[in-house]
Amino acid sequence: MIPLSDEDEPLRHGGDLGASRRLFPGARCRFIDLSTGINPNPYPVPRFSAELFARLPDPSAVGELAAAAARAYGAPSALVVPAPGTQILLPLVAGLVRAGRAAVLAPGYCEHARAAAFAGHSVKAVRGVDDCGDATLVIVTNPNNPDGRLLAQTDLLALAEDLRRRGGTLVADEAFMDVGPPGASLATEVVCGNVVVLRSFGKFFGLAGLRLGFAIAAPAMASRLRAALGPWAVSGPALVVGAAAIADTAWIERTRKRLEKAAQRLDKILSGSGLDVIGGTTLFRLVQTPAAGALFQHLGRAGIWVRAFPDNASWLRFGLPATKRDWQRLDDAVASFRLRGRAFGS
Amino acid sequence: MIPLSDEDEPLRHGGDLGASRRLFPGARCRFIDLSTGINPNPYPVPRFSAELFARLPDPSAVGELAAAAARAYGAPSALVVPAPGTQILLPLVAGLVRAGRAAVLAPGYCEHARAAAFAGHSVKAVRGVDDCGDATLVIVTNPNNPDGRLLAQTDLLALAEDLRRRGGTLVADEAFMDVGPPGASLATEVVCGNVVVLRSFGKFFGLAGLRLGFAIAAPAMASRLRAALGPWAVSGPALVVGAAAIADTAWIERTRKRLEKAAQRLDKILSGSGLDVIGGTTLFRLVQTPAAGALFQHLGRAGIWVRAFPDNASWLRFGLPATKRDWQRLDDAVASFRLRGRAFGS
């Protein structure tokens, strides 16, 4: 039995409205959850047939979903492995490469370091792809969460080549690549062998509760992941919605444009009140301010839940409001913070 | 990279109606799927709120589901780990104990041997709990699939004690224990340390497409499994239906009785036509006949898909028909096979 360790302790995440209610019991109104980077206007979920819940997920439906994802991501279908969310893939992938030194680009999604440590790697956080030293597992999130940093495909391919020479693997978590620039994904490059790409479904399509994600990897890794997940990893409803959504190019294009506008609107609210938006994607924006703690408290009391960072007290991450009313409440709450004489720059 | 091996090859399972259509393209009617041991009259699924699909599954809902499962299974809630089906737990559990010699009780559910081999164990199939030799991982299915063999709790506890002395672990897959005798489950005994119990949700509750199952294990193993699965392993809809169904003692009691009657009715159809029912649970019945191959073909041509076994050509497993019409079609098909002069005993 592997001994108990720190990696077993739960980490803090966005999306936990129970935590918001415990922290701000006085907030009288419905909480607006801006603590995640999930599209607040989801892909429409059909009325599912009872069979989708009742029967074991159909192997041919798994194949259809993988084929749809393969077309969308530009990788051969045989290399696409559907999973119940990408989260579950992190320790699986890290566990299928030789345990050694892992470098995780930081700041970033906190579960990566934990998953690599869980799988037996000695993990260090590094600032950039040039700082990976002799790591044999390098994990990047691209575009990055929470700062939106985008790594160039050429740099990542050079890193992958370096890693290959020492028998190492590059994991690129592309959870937010649906709103990244065209041609930036490494999904088209996994055939070269030592690159594993993770793609989320729930964020861009706004269906995080459905649990769906993909690993895209060279044949050996894809095959091992498929064997680890087993024959019915993805639920019946997720197979059906996933295949339909990923192939719905009109909805995808419309949504990309809508998210761009929404992100601009969010920036206007934030920077219009003197807040410094230092990065993000069109699904979330990162604010840096010495008043982050006070603003977090102020928004919480107003029933607005944003993401604070234990490791960086001057950062707050804002997701997109869902409705006209929620936009207005955010606008009012940010403005009223400023009007109370709290200078954001102070 | 762990090299590719046989464990990566997909195994054959029940429930694959695509396979039935490929094998019997001439069958004109809707296929009746009797190839699984899944309750054909599922727990009623509510109309889900859109939020359940859209939002990340709520940590407090995970806690409520674990609490409901804990009450139902008689184990402390902290030792219950919800997962997206038990299948995904097999290699995880096998991977969290020291790789060594694994004994899997056979005949049984074929994925156990594969999962143990995948996790690095050298696996042998054994006939009974007395044949486990010096294995450090023993995997039993109780009641067993497909023959329904029930292992006595006292024998399993003695085996667990033996295993503990050599640092080993007992995994009890209780996928069909919802229809097993009261008091037979090991779920109440996991606190003693080296016993892991797996409980399926989808079979008894007839919701295999939802993907829900549980591991019940001592604190260290429960904590490691929770860390491996991550914070959102179970979908929003599964959390809600699971908690409601597992606590619905009236539905559960009614369903147990209904399944008993259905199994008796199935036995009557089968044995009434001279077929020898040699075991099973109230969710499936196992038939042994030298005419198994011919009967499988006959039923397939009549649009009835039952489970054949590559390793045992004289066995067929029958699940329960869902409707009056399906019962009639099965009855007619079995009877017409006999009337065509195929003596089952020949």
Side-chain angles (χ1 to χ4, degrees), chain A residues 1-5 7-9 13-18 21-22 33 36 38-39 42 45 47-48 50-60 84 87-88 91-92 95-98 109 111 114 117-119 202 206-211 219-237, chain B residues 1-5 7-9 13-18 21-22 33 36 38-39 42 45 47-48 50-60 84 87-88 91-92 95-98 109 111 114 117-119 202 206-211 219-237:
Chain A
M1 183 78 199
I2 298 160
L4 264 175
S5 59
E7 309 91 70
D8 297 340
E9 288 303 308
H13 292 286
D16 183 357
L17 277 185
R21 288 186 206 101
R22 286 190 298 277
D33 186 9
T36 72
I38 298 166
N39 178 359
V45 167
R47 182 130 193 214
F48 295 110
E51 280 220 328
L52 280 178
F53 294 104
R55 292 183 50 79
L56 279 170
D58 188 342
S60 68
Q87 171 69 45
I88 215 164
L92 285 183
L96 287 173
V97 299
R98 202 181 58 231
Y109 180 56
E111 293 280 351
R114 180 170 80 163
F118 181 87
L207 294 171
L210 194 63
R211 307 316 294 143
M221 174 64 88
S223 172
R224 296 299 279 173
L225 285 171
R226 220 174 263 119
L229 292 165
W232 310 287
V234 175
S235 71
Chain B
M1 184 77 199
I2 299 161
L4 265 176
S5 60
E7 309 91 70
D8 297 339
E9 288 303 308
H13 291 288
D16 183 358
L17 277 186
R21 288 186 207 102
R22 285 190 298 276
D33 185 11
T36 73
I38 298 166
N39 178 357
V45 167
R47 183 129 191 213
F48 295 109
E51 280 219 326
L52 280 178
F53 295 104
R55 292 184 51 79
L56 279 169
D58 188 342
S60 68
Q87 171 68 45
I88 214 164
L92 285 182
L96 287 172
V97 300
R98 203 183 56 234
Y109 179 55
E111 292 280 350
R114 182 171 78 165
F118 181 86
L207 295 170
L210 195 62
R211 306 315 295 144
M221 175 62 90
S223 173
R224 295 299 280 173
L225 284 173
R226 221 175 262 119
L229 292 166
W232 310 288
V234 175
S235 72

Side-chain angles (χ1 to χ4, degrees), chain B residues 260-316:
Chain B
E260 272 168 40
K261 277 191 193 162
Q264 284 163 12
R265 183 175 175 185
L266 182 52
D267 281 2
K268 209 170 146 192
I269 290 174
L270 298 169
S271 58
S273 285
L275 288 166
D276 200 6
V277 179
I278 62 164
T281 70
T282 59
L283 282 164
F284 57 85
R285 309 302 289 163
L286 183 65
V287 160
Q288 179 165 286
T289 167
L295 178 57
F296 178 82
Q297 293 292 330
H298 173 83
L299 292 173
R301 285 189 298 268
I304 298 173
W305 183 235
V306 299
R307 181 78 160 93
F309 295 86
D311 295 342
N312 193 324
S314 65
W315 279 6
L316 288 181

Side-chain angles (χ1 to χ4, degrees), chain A residues 293-304:
Chain A
L295 178 58
F296 178 81
Q297 294 292 329
H298 173 82
L299 292 172
R301 285 190 298 270
I304 296 173

Side-chain angles (χ1 to χ4, degrees), chain A residues 62-75:
Chain A
V62 179
E64 282 159 30
L65 172 64
R71 278 190 296 274
Y73 302 145

